Amino acid sequence: MSEILVLVEHTDGDVKKVTLELLTKARELGTPSAVFVGAGFEKAKDKLGEYGAAKVYVGESAELTGYVVAPKAELLAKLVADASPAAVLVAATAEGKEIAGRLAIKTGSGILTDAVDLKLEGGTFVAEQSIFGGSSIVHSAVTAGTPIVAMRPNATPPAPETAAAERVDVSVELSESAKLAKVVEKVAVAKGDRPELTEAAIVVSGGRGVGSAEKFSVIEALADQLGAAVGASRAAVDSGWYPHQSQVGQTGKTVSPQLYVACGISGAIQHRAGMQTSKTIVAINKDPEAPIFELVDYGVVGDLFNVVPQATEEIAKRK
Ligand SMILES: Cc1cc2nc3c(=O)[nH]c(=O)nc-3n(C[C@H](O)[C@H](O)[C@H](O)COP(=O)(O)OP(=O)(O)OC[C@H]3O[C@@H](n4cnc5c(N)ncnc54)[C@H](O)[C@@H]3O)c2cc1C
């Protein structure tokens, strides 16, 4: 089976869920080899093995994480040259896409970003992308070099299948241009108990219909019953009701959860662009003509301040 490189996203060895999804997808297409950059491999090893990494290329040198993303692209380019993998998978996060773009230039390869699926058809990797705010589905294949595919979080349900996770140490002589932007400080962002927005299996979002920052507690209560992340429309963010990093949409985050619950959100095209590939969409809106109802699986016409607390209460009863 051909080797598929999977770039690991992690924080000091805590492997992100999207990497487990990529390993699961890579197993369908070939033999996954994880690429782990930075400190913390011993912590990550079991997780990577549990999800099928036959091999893990480990680049531990402090230089590799000391200069933002450029060194990771150089390390991957070296691995592509040395191991000739059939494809390289990265997460379609801001960092993953920047690394993928740099890698494509370095290796003269084609790149596909924001893939929601990837299949092997007659020896060709065919990616599925959702474009124009989710109104069209495109199937694309790379025609030059090694296919580099940035896949959206939540595109593949992660499924374990144990493999050896055999460690292979790797290093690369960094070019001077890879050292042009240096990391001078790292500060961990204080996080609550809720899952990360782009990785969450369930997202509950609030829009202008929520009415104020205080009333977002109604959205948070439902999210907490469901173990969900909280999102917001731009109107809610611009009003200062919820932090910018929670904005879903064209100029915010792209989410693709199993369940997306839109509360008091009209469904503007720019909002849809960030959530339309969610597997099941539920909307609560008091306007039966709201455009969001065009794309929902389940719609509730009603005042969110009646509907959402009742839903929260019912879910709590079932626990
Ligand atoms: C270049 C550009 C980029 C943009 N990027 C984004 C983006 O990334 N994300 C984004 O979200 N938007 C984005 N927008 C803005 C977008 O066009 C909309 O203005 C925005 O999404 C509207 O937010 P909303 O649905 O919360 O508000 P509104 O459109 O005002 O809708 C509020 C909805 O709440 C309903 N409602 C009110 N009260 C209640 C209640 N008590 N119970 C139930 N329902 C109620 C109303 O019926 C209405 O449908 C962008 C716009 C531009 C031009």
Side-chain angles (χ1 to χ4, degrees), residues 192-230:
D193 292 337
R194 296 193 188 104
E196 207 278 313
L197 184 58
T198 55
E199 293 211 323
I202 305 177
V203 175
V204 181
S205 286
R208 203 194 308 270
V210 175
S212 72
E214 294 69 41
K215 291 182 190 161
F216 251 83
S217 58
V218 172
I219 307 298
E220 290 178 334
L222 176 59
D224 290 343
Q225 277 304 329
L226 291 167
V230 175

PDB file of all heavy atoms in Angstrom, residues 192-230:
ATOM      1  N   GLY A 192     -12.225  27.653  28.094  1.00  0.00           N
ATOM      2  CA  GLY A 192     -13.191  27.047  29.000  1.00  0.00           C
ATOM      3  C   GLY A 192     -13.250  25.550  28.758  1.00  0.00           C
ATOM      4  O   GLY A 192     -12.360  24.975  28.126  1.00  0.00           O
ATOM      5  N   ASP A 193     -14.323  24.938  29.233  1.00  0.00           N
ATOM      6  CA  ASP A 193     -14.447  23.492  29.084  1.00  0.00           C
ATOM      7  C   ASP A 193     -15.063  23.101  27.745  1.00  0.00           C
ATOM      8  O   ASP A 193     -15.119  21.923  27.410  1.00  0.00           O
ATOM      9  CB  ASP A 193     -15.325  22.931  30.214  1.00  0.00           C
ATOM     10  CG  ASP A 193     -14.618  23.060  31.554  1.00  0.00           C
ATOM     11  OD1 ASP A 193     -13.373  23.147  31.533  1.00  0.00           O
ATOM     12  OD2 ASP A 193     -15.310  23.089  32.584  1.00  0.00           O
ATOM     13  N   ARG A 194     -15.548  24.077  26.994  1.00  0.00           N
ATOM     14  CA  ARG A 194     -16.218  23.740  25.722  1.00  0.00           C
ATOM     15  C   ARG A 194     -15.202  23.328  24.668  1.00  0.00           C
ATOM     16  O   ARG A 194     -14.060  23.787  24.675  1.00  0.00           O
ATOM     17  CB  ARG A 194     -17.014  24.947  25.220  1.00  0.00           C
ATOM     18  CG  ARG A 194     -18.133  25.311  26.153  1.00  0.00           C
ATOM     19  CD  ARG A 194     -19.119  26.289  25.547  1.00  0.00           C
ATOM     20  NE  ARG A 194     -20.010  26.688  26.607  1.00  0.00           N
ATOM     21  CZ  ARG A 194     -19.948  27.861  27.236  1.00  0.00           C
ATOM     22  NH1 ARG A 194     -19.088  28.778  26.857  1.00  0.00           N
ATOM     23  NH2 ARG A 194     -20.770  28.128  28.224  1.00  0.00           N
ATOM     24  N   PRO A 195     -15.638  22.482  23.725  1.00  0.00           N
ATOM     25  CA  PRO A 195     -14.701  22.066  22.681  1.00  0.00           C
ATOM     26  C   PRO A 195     -14.339  23.222  21.749  1.00  0.00           C
ATOM     27  O   PRO A 195     -15.056  24.222  21.690  1.00  0.00           O
ATOM     28  CB  PRO A 195     -15.476  20.979  21.924  1.00  0.00           C
ATOM     29  CG  PRO A 195     -16.900  21.134  22.308  1.00  0.00           C
ATOM     30  CD  PRO A 195     -16.947  21.828  23.621  1.00  0.00           C
ATOM     31  N   GLU A 196     -13.240  23.047  21.037  1.00  0.00           N
ATOM     32  CA  GLU A 196     -12.788  24.056  20.077  1.00  0.00           C
ATOM     33  C   GLU A 196     -13.805  24.121  18.932  1.00  0.00           C
ATOM     34  O   GLU A 196     -14.272  23.094  18.451  1.00  0.00           O
ATOM     35  CB  GLU A 196     -11.395  23.653  19.587  1.00  0.00           C
ATOM     36  CG  GLU A 196     -10.520  24.792  19.144  1.00  0.00           C
ATOM     37  CD  GLU A 196     -10.822  25.223  17.729  1.00  0.00           C
ATOM     38  OE1 GLU A 196     -10.921  24.354  16.854  1.00  0.00           O
ATOM     39  OE2 GLU A 196     -10.988  26.429  17.507  1.00  0.00           O
ATOM     40  N   LEU A 197     -14.115  25.356  18.499  1.00  0.00           N
ATOM     41  CA  LEU A 197     -15.206  25.558  17.537  1.00  0.00           C
ATOM     42  C   LEU A 197     -15.066  24.715  16.258  1.00  0.00           C
ATOM     43  O   LEU A 197     -16.003  24.037  15.844  1.00  0.00           O
ATOM     44  CB  LEU A 197     -15.284  27.055  17.198  1.00  0.00           C
ATOM     45  CG  LEU A 197     -16.403  27.525  16.283  1.00  0.00           C
ATOM     46  CD1 LEU A 197     -17.767  27.173  16.835  1.00  0.00           C
ATOM     47  CD2 LEU A 197     -16.309  29.037  16.054  1.00  0.00           C
ATOM     48  N   THR A 198     -13.892  24.757  15.634  1.00  0.00           N
ATOM     49  CA  THR A 198     -13.759  24.072  14.343  1.00  0.00           C
ATOM     50  C   THR A 198     -13.681  22.545  14.493  1.00  0.00           C
ATOM     51  O   THR A 198     -13.822  21.824  13.527  1.00  0.00           O
ATOM     52  CB  THR A 198     -12.515  24.556  13.569  1.00  0.00           C
ATOM     53  OG1 THR A 198     -11.389  24.386  14.427  1.00  0.00           O
ATOM     54  CG2 THR A 198     -12.655  25.994  13.152  1.00  0.00           C
ATOM     55  N   GLU A 199     -13.421  22.084  15.714  1.00  0.00           N
ATOM     56  CA  GLU A 199     -13.286  20.637  15.912  1.00  0.00           C
ATOM     57  C   GLU A 199     -14.529  20.016  16.514  1.00  0.00           C
ATOM     58  O   GLU A 199     -14.656  18.794  16.531  1.00  0.00           O
ATOM     59  CB  GLU A 199     -12.125  20.357  16.863  1.00  0.00           C
ATOM     60  CG  GLU A 199     -10.768  20.724  16.300  1.00  0.00           C
ATOM     61  CD  GLU A 199      -9.696  19.810  16.846  1.00  0.00           C
ATOM     62  OE1 GLU A 199      -9.792  19.443  18.018  1.00  0.00           O
ATOM     63  OE2 GLU A 199      -8.796  19.441  16.082  1.00  0.00           O
ATOM     64  N   ALA A 200     -15.441  20.845  17.007  1.00  0.00           N
ATOM     65  CA  ALA A 200     -16.570  20.327  17.788  1.00  0.00           C
ATOM     66  C   ALA A 200     -17.515  19.494  16.924  1.00  0.00           C
ATOM     67  O   ALA A 200     -17.768  19.812  15.759  1.00  0.00           O
ATOM     68  CB  ALA A 200     -17.343  21.495  18.397  1.00  0.00           C
ATOM     69  N   ALA A 201     -18.048  18.433  17.504  1.00  0.00           N
ATOM     70  CA  ALA A 201     -19.023  17.600  16.797  1.00  0.00           C
ATOM     71  C   ALA A 201     -20.395  18.282  16.761  1.00  0.00           C
ATOM     72  O   ALA A 201     -21.220  18.005  15.899  1.00  0.00           O
ATOM     73  CB  ALA A 201     -19.127  16.238  17.471  1.00  0.00           C
ATOM     74  N   ILE A 202     -20.640  19.165  17.739  1.00  0.00           N
ATOM     75  CA  ILE A 202     -21.897  19.914  17.777  1.00  0.00           C
ATOM     76  C   ILE A 202     -21.564  21.391  18.003  1.00  0.00           C
ATOM     77  O   ILE A 202     -20.710  21.717  18.833  1.00  0.00           O
ATOM     78  CB  ILE A 202     -22.831  19.422  18.911  1.00  0.00           C
ATOM     79  CG1 ILE A 202     -23.073  17.909  18.796  1.00  0.00           C
ATOM     80  CG2 ILE A 202     -24.155  20.181  18.903  1.00  0.00           C
ATOM     81  CD1 ILE A 202     -23.929  17.321  19.920  1.00  0.00           C
ATOM     82  N   VAL A 203     -22.227  22.260  17.238  1.00  0.00           N
ATOM     83  CA  VAL A 203     -22.052  23.706  17.418  1.00  0.00           C
ATOM     84  C   VAL A 203     -23.432  24.330  17.584  1.00  0.00           C
ATOM     85  O   VAL A 203     -24.347  24.054  16.806  1.00  0.00           O
ATOM     86  CB  VAL A 203     -21.339  24.351  16.201  1.00  0.00           C
ATOM     87  CG1 VAL A 203     -21.288  25.877  16.347  1.00  0.00           C
ATOM     88  CG2 VAL A 203     -19.933  23.789  16.033  1.00  0.00           C
ATOM     89  N   VAL A 204     -23.585  25.150  18.626  1.00  0.00           N
ATOM     90  CA  VAL A 204     -24.818  25.925  18.806  1.00  0.00           C
ATOM     91  C   VAL A 204     -24.437  27.387  18.616  1.00  0.00           C
ATOM     92  O   VAL A 204     -23.554  27.897  19.310  1.00  0.00           O
ATOM     93  CB  VAL A 204     -25.425  25.724  20.215  1.00  0.00           C
ATOM     94  CG1 VAL A 204     -26.725  26.519  20.348  1.00  0.00           C
ATOM     95  CG2 VAL A 204     -25.683  24.239  20.491  1.00  0.00           C
ATOM     96  N   SER A 205     -25.070  28.057  17.637  1.00  0.00           N
ATOM     97  CA  SER A 205     -24.705  29.439  17.327  1.00  0.00           C
ATOM     98  C   SER A 205     -25.860  30.382  17.575  1.00  0.00           C
ATOM     99  O   SER A 205     -27.020  30.034  17.377  1.00  0.00           O
ATOM    100  CB  SER A 205     -24.295  29.558  15.850  1.00  0.00           C
ATOM    101  OG  SER A 205     -23.038  28.994  15.634  1.00  0.00           O
ATOM    102  N   GLY A 206     -25.494  31.597  17.952  1.00  0.00           N
ATOM    103  CA  GLY A 206     -26.490  32.645  18.154  1.00  0.00           C
ATOM    104  C   GLY A 206     -26.246  33.812  17.222  1.00  0.00           C
ATOM    105  O   GLY A 206     -25.099  34.106  16.869  1.00  0.00           O
ATOM    106  N   GLY A 207     -27.317  34.474  16.812  1.00  0.00           N
ATOM    107  CA  GLY A 207     -27.202  35.629  15.916  1.00  0.00           C
ATOM    108  C   GLY A 207     -27.812  36.866  16.525  1.00  0.00           C
ATOM    109  O   GLY A 207     -28.002  36.950  17.748  1.00  0.00           O
ATOM    110  N   ARG A 208     -28.146  37.828  15.652  1.00  0.00           N
ATOM    111  CA  ARG A 208     -28.708  39.099  16.124  1.00  0.00           C
ATOM    112  C   ARG A 208     -29.986  38.880  16.936  1.00  0.00           C
ATOM    113  O   ARG A 208     -30.321  39.649  17.826  1.00  0.00           O
ATOM    114  CB  ARG A 208     -28.999  40.008  14.927  1.00  0.00           C
ATOM    115  CG  ARG A 208     -29.030  41.477  15.315  1.00  0.00           C
ATOM    116  CD  ARG A 208     -29.645  42.355  14.236  1.00  0.00           C
ATOM    117  NE  ARG A 208     -29.090  42.198  12.914  1.00  0.00           N
ATOM    118  CZ  ARG A 208     -28.058  42.908  12.435  1.00  0.00           C
ATOM    119  NH1 ARG A 208     -27.493  43.818  13.175  1.00  0.00           N
ATOM    120  NH2 ARG A 208     -27.634  42.708  11.196  1.00  0.00           N
ATOM    121  N   GLY A 209     -30.700  37.782  16.613  1.00  0.00           N
ATOM    122  CA  GLY A 209     -31.940  37.484  17.324  1.00  0.00           C
ATOM    123  C   GLY A 209     -31.743  37.247  18.817  1.00  0.00           C
ATOM    124  O   GLY A 209     -32.691  37.334  19.589  1.00  0.00           O
ATOM    125  N   VAL A 210     -30.497  36.981  19.237  1.00  0.00           N
ATOM    126  CA  VAL A 210     -30.233  36.751  20.670  1.00  0.00           C
ATOM    127  C   VAL A 210     -30.388  38.073  21.448  1.00  0.00           C
ATOM    128  O   VAL A 210     -30.827  38.081  22.594  1.00  0.00           O
ATOM    129  CB  VAL A 210     -28.833  36.119  20.881  1.00  0.00           C
ATOM    130  CG1 VAL A 210     -28.503  35.987  22.362  1.00  0.00           C
ATOM    131  CG2 VAL A 210     -28.767  34.756  20.201  1.00  0.00           C
ATOM    132  N   GLY A 211     -30.013  39.161  20.828  1.00  0.00           N
ATOM    133  CA  GLY A 211     -30.364  40.465  21.387  1.00  0.00           C
ATOM    134  C   GLY A 211     -29.366  41.142  22.304  1.00  0.00           C
ATOM    135  O   GLY A 211     -29.373  42.361  22.396  1.00  0.00           O
ATOM    136  N   SER A 212     -28.511  40.389  22.986  1.00  0.00           N
ATOM    137  CA  SER A 212     -27.514  41.037  23.864  1.00  0.00           C
ATOM    138  C   SER A 212     -26.469  40.013  24.301  1.00  0.00           C
ATOM    139  O   SER A 212     -26.684  38.799  24.169  1.00  0.00           O
ATOM    140  CB  SER A 212     -28.179  41.613  25.121  1.00  0.00           C
ATOM    141  OG  SER A 212     -28.566  40.556  25.986  1.00  0.00           O
ATOM    142  N   ALA A 213     -25.375  40.529  24.848  1.00  0.00           N
ATOM    143  CA  ALA A 213     -24.303  39.644  25.327  1.00  0.00           C
ATOM    144  C   ALA A 213     -24.828  38.771  26.467  1.00  0.00           C
ATOM    145  O   ALA A 213     -24.565  37.564  26.514  1.00  0.00           O
ATOM    146  CB  ALA A 213     -23.119  40.481  25.800  1.00  0.00           C
ATOM    147  N   GLU A 214     -25.602  39.363  27.362  1.00  0.00           N
ATOM    148  CA  GLU A 214     -26.094  38.624  28.535  1.00  0.00           C
ATOM    149  C   GLU A 214     -26.971  37.452  28.097  1.00  0.00           C
ATOM    150  O   GLU A 214     -26.907  36.359  28.654  1.00  0.00           O
ATOM    151  CB  GLU A 214     -26.913  39.525  29.470  1.00  0.00           C
ATOM    152  CG  GLU A 214     -26.137  40.644  30.152  1.00  0.00           C
ATOM    153  CD  GLU A 214     -25.690  41.727  29.174  1.00  0.00           C
ATOM    154  OE1 GLU A 214     -26.490  42.083  28.283  1.00  0.00           O
ATOM    155  OE2 GLU A 214     -24.535  42.184  29.269  1.00  0.00           O
ATOM    156  N   LYS A 215     -27.789  37.704  27.082  1.00  0.00           N
ATOM    157  CA  LYS A 215     -28.747  36.661  26.677  1.00  0.00           C
ATOM    158  C   LYS A 215     -28.065  35.501  25.944  1.00  0.00           C
ATOM    159  O   LYS A 215     -28.706  34.482  25.666  1.00  0.00           O
ATOM    160  CB  LYS A 215     -29.851  37.277  25.828  1.00  0.00           C
ATOM    161  CG  LYS A 215     -30.772  38.190  26.633  1.00  0.00           C
ATOM    162  CD  LYS A 215     -31.865  38.709  25.730  1.00  0.00           C
ATOM    163  CE  LYS A 215     -32.668  39.806  26.391  1.00  0.00           C
ATOM    164  NZ  LYS A 215     -33.401  40.606  25.395  1.00  0.00           N
ATOM    165  N   PHE A 216     -26.774  35.651  25.611  1.00  0.00           N
ATOM    166  CA  PHE A 216     -26.064  34.508  25.029  1.00  0.00           C
ATOM    167  C   PHE A 216     -25.990  33.347  26.023  1.00  0.00           C
ATOM    168  O   PHE A 216     -25.681  32.211  25.648  1.00  0.00           O
ATOM    169  CB  PHE A 216     -24.652  34.911  24.559  1.00  0.00           C
ATOM    170  CG  PHE A 216     -24.529  34.952  23.059  1.00  0.00           C
ATOM    171  CD1 PHE A 216     -24.938  36.057  22.343  1.00  0.00           C
ATOM    172  CD2 PHE A 216     -24.036  33.854  22.355  1.00  0.00           C
ATOM    173  CE1 PHE A 216     -24.858  36.088  20.953  1.00  0.00           C
ATOM    174  CE2 PHE A 216     -23.957  33.867  20.965  1.00  0.00           C
ATOM    175  CZ  PHE A 216     -24.365  34.986  20.265  1.00  0.00           C
ATOM    176  N   SER A 217     -26.303  33.625  27.305  1.00  0.00           N
ATOM    177  CA  SER A 217     -26.298  32.539  28.296  1.00  0.00           C
ATOM    178  C   SER A 217     -27.318  31.457  27.916  1.00  0.00           C
ATOM    179  O   SER A 217     -27.131  30.278  28.241  1.00  0.00           O
ATOM    180  CB  SER A 217     -26.598  33.097  29.692  1.00  0.00           C
ATOM    181  OG  SER A 217     -27.854  33.745  29.663  1.00  0.00           O
ATOM    182  N   VAL A 218     -28.369  31.841  27.180  1.00  0.00           N
ATOM    183  CA  VAL A 218     -29.378  30.869  26.727  1.00  0.00           C
ATOM    184  C   VAL A 218     -28.744  29.902  25.715  1.00  0.00           C
ATOM    185  O   VAL A 218     -28.983  28.689  25.741  1.00  0.00           O
ATOM    186  CB  VAL A 218     -30.578  31.632  26.085  1.00  0.00           C
ATOM    187  CG1 VAL A 218     -31.563  30.695  25.425  1.00  0.00           C
ATOM    188  CG2 VAL A 218     -31.258  32.487  27.120  1.00  0.00           C
ATOM    189  N   ILE A 219     -27.909  30.475  24.833  1.00  0.00           N
ATOM    190  CA  ILE A 219     -27.212  29.661  23.812  1.00  0.00           C
ATOM    191  C   ILE A 219     -26.188  28.757  24.515  1.00  0.00           C
ATOM    192  O   ILE A 219     -26.069  27.569  24.217  1.00  0.00           O
ATOM    193  CB  ILE A 219     -26.501  30.589  22.785  1.00  0.00           C
ATOM    194  CG1 ILE A 219     -27.481  31.607  22.191  1.00  0.00           C
ATOM    195  CG2 ILE A 219     -25.785  29.796  21.696  1.00  0.00           C
ATOM    196  CD1 ILE A 219     -28.621  31.029  21.424  1.00  0.00           C
ATOM    197  N   GLU A 220     -25.464  29.352  25.470  1.00  0.00           N
ATOM    198  CA  GLU A 220     -24.422  28.586  26.176  1.00  0.00           C
ATOM    199  C   GLU A 220     -25.026  27.436  26.977  1.00  0.00           C
ATOM    200  O   GLU A 220     -24.433  26.347  27.039  1.00  0.00           O
ATOM    201  CB  GLU A 220     -23.639  29.517  27.112  1.00  0.00           C
ATOM    202  CG  GLU A 220     -22.773  30.495  26.355  1.00  0.00           C
ATOM    203  CD  GLU A 220     -22.022  31.463  27.263  1.00  0.00           C
ATOM    204  OE1 GLU A 220     -22.509  31.720  28.377  1.00  0.00           O
ATOM    205  OE2 GLU A 220     -20.972  31.949  26.837  1.00  0.00           O
ATOM    206  N   ALA A 221     -26.207  27.658  27.543  1.00  0.00           N
ATOM    207  CA  ALA A 221     -26.826  26.592  28.353  1.00  0.00           C
ATOM    208  C   ALA A 221     -27.162  25.393  27.472  1.00  0.00           C
ATOM    209  O   ALA A 221     -26.918  24.236  27.852  1.00  0.00           O
ATOM    210  CB  ALA A 221     -28.085  27.128  29.032  1.00  0.00           C
ATOM    211  N   LEU A 222     -27.705  25.659  26.276  1.00  0.00           N
ATOM    212  CA  LEU A 222     -28.003  24.544  25.362  1.00  0.00           C
ATOM    213  C   LEU A 222     -26.703  23.866  24.927  1.00  0.00           C
ATOM    214  O   LEU A 222     -26.599  22.631  24.923  1.00  0.00           O
ATOM    215  CB  LEU A 222     -28.784  25.047  24.129  1.00  0.00           C
ATOM    216  CG  LEU A 222     -29.078  23.994  23.064  1.00  0.00           C
ATOM    217  CD1 LEU A 222     -29.889  22.824  23.629  1.00  0.00           C
ATOM    218  CD2 LEU A 222     -29.832  24.604  21.876  1.00  0.00           C
ATOM    219  N   ALA A 223     -25.700  24.699  24.582  1.00  0.00           N
ATOM    220  CA  ALA A 223     -24.412  24.138  24.151  1.00  0.00           C
ATOM    221  C   ALA A 223     -23.848  23.223  25.240  1.00  0.00           C
ATOM    222  O   ALA A 223     -23.372  22.117  24.952  1.00  0.00           O
ATOM    223  CB  ALA A 223     -23.433  25.264  23.830  1.00  0.00           C
ATOM    224  N   ASP A 224     -23.914  23.648  26.475  1.00  0.00           N
ATOM    225  CA  ASP A 224     -23.324  22.858  27.560  1.00  0.00           C
ATOM    226  C   ASP A 224     -24.081  21.553  27.788  1.00  0.00           C
ATOM    227  O   ASP A 224     -23.476  20.522  28.101  1.00  0.00           O
ATOM    228  CB  ASP A 224     -23.226  23.685  28.841  1.00  0.00           C
ATOM    229  CG  ASP A 224     -22.167  24.782  28.710  1.00  0.00           C
ATOM    230  OD1 ASP A 224     -21.326  24.668  27.791  1.00  0.00           O
ATOM    231  OD2 ASP A 224     -22.181  25.740  29.490  1.00  0.00           O
ATOM    232  N   GLN A 225     -25.384  21.567  27.602  1.00  0.00           N
ATOM    233  CA  GLN A 225     -26.139  20.298  27.715  1.00  0.00           C
ATOM    234  C   GLN A 225     -25.732  19.328  26.621  1.00  0.00           C
ATOM    235  O   GLN A 225     -25.729  18.112  26.814  1.00  0.00           O
ATOM    236  CB  GLN A 225     -27.648  20.556  27.614  1.00  0.00           C
ATOM    237  CG  GLN A 225     -28.290  20.986  28.907  1.00  0.00           C
ATOM    238  CD  GLN A 225     -28.053  19.995  30.039  1.00  0.00           C
ATOM    239  OE1 GLN A 225     -27.933  18.792  29.829  1.00  0.00           O
ATOM    240  NE2 GLN A 225     -27.961  20.495  31.259  1.00  0.00           N
ATOM    241  N   LEU A 226     -25.402  19.871  25.440  1.00  0.00           N
ATOM    242  CA  LEU A 226     -25.062  19.017  24.293  1.00  0.00           C
ATOM    243  C   LEU A 226     -23.564  18.724  24.198  1.00  0.00           C
ATOM    244  O   LEU A 226     -23.123  17.991  23.314  1.00  0.00           O
ATOM    245  CB  LEU A 226     -25.509  19.700  22.991  1.00  0.00           C
ATOM    246  CG  LEU A 226     -27.018  19.817  22.764  1.00  0.00           C
ATOM    247  CD1 LEU A 226     -27.304  20.779  21.610  1.00  0.00           C
ATOM    248  CD2 LEU A 226     -27.625  18.448  22.448  1.00  0.00           C
ATOM    249  N   GLY A 227     -22.770  19.334  25.060  1.00  0.00           N
ATOM    250  CA  GLY A 227     -21.304  19.194  24.959  1.00  0.00           C
ATOM    251  C   GLY A 227     -20.795  19.874  23.700  1.00  0.00           C
ATOM    252  O   GLY A 227     -19.867  19.401  23.038  1.00  0.00           O
ATOM    253  N   ALA A 228     -21.422  21.004  23.353  1.00  0.00           N
ATOM    254  CA  ALA A 228     -21.140  21.660  22.073  1.00  0.00           C
ATOM    255  C   ALA A 228     -20.257  22.890  22.239  1.00  0.00           C
ATOM    256  O   ALA A 228     -20.108  23.423  23.341  1.00  0.00           O
ATOM    257  CB  ALA A 228     -22.468  22.087  21.438  1.00  0.00           C
ATOM    258  N   ALA A 229     -19.719  23.359  21.102  1.00  0.00           N
ATOM    259  CA  ALA A 229     -19.041  24.656  21.065  1.00  0.00           C
ATOM    260  C   ALA A 229     -20.091  25.726  20.775  1.00  0.00           C
ATOM    261  O   ALA A 229     -21.155  25.421  20.230  1.00  0.00           O
ATOM    262  CB  ALA A 229     -17.979  24.657  19.970  1.00  0.00           C
ATOM    263  N   VAL A 230     -19.774  26.972  21.141  1.00  0.00           N
ATOM    264  CA  VAL A 230     -20.693  28.081  20.860  1.00  0.00           C
ATOM    265  C   VAL A 230     -20.136  28.893  19.691  1.00  0.00           C
ATOM    266  O   VAL A 230     -18.965  29.256  19.674  1.00  0.00           O
ATOM    267  CB  VAL A 230     -20.860  28.991  22.096  1.00  0.00           C
ATOM    268  CG1 VAL A 230     -21.728  30.206  21.764  1.00  0.00           C
ATOM    269  CG2 VAL A 230     -21.485  28.201  23.235  1.00  0.00           C
TER     270      VAL A 230
END
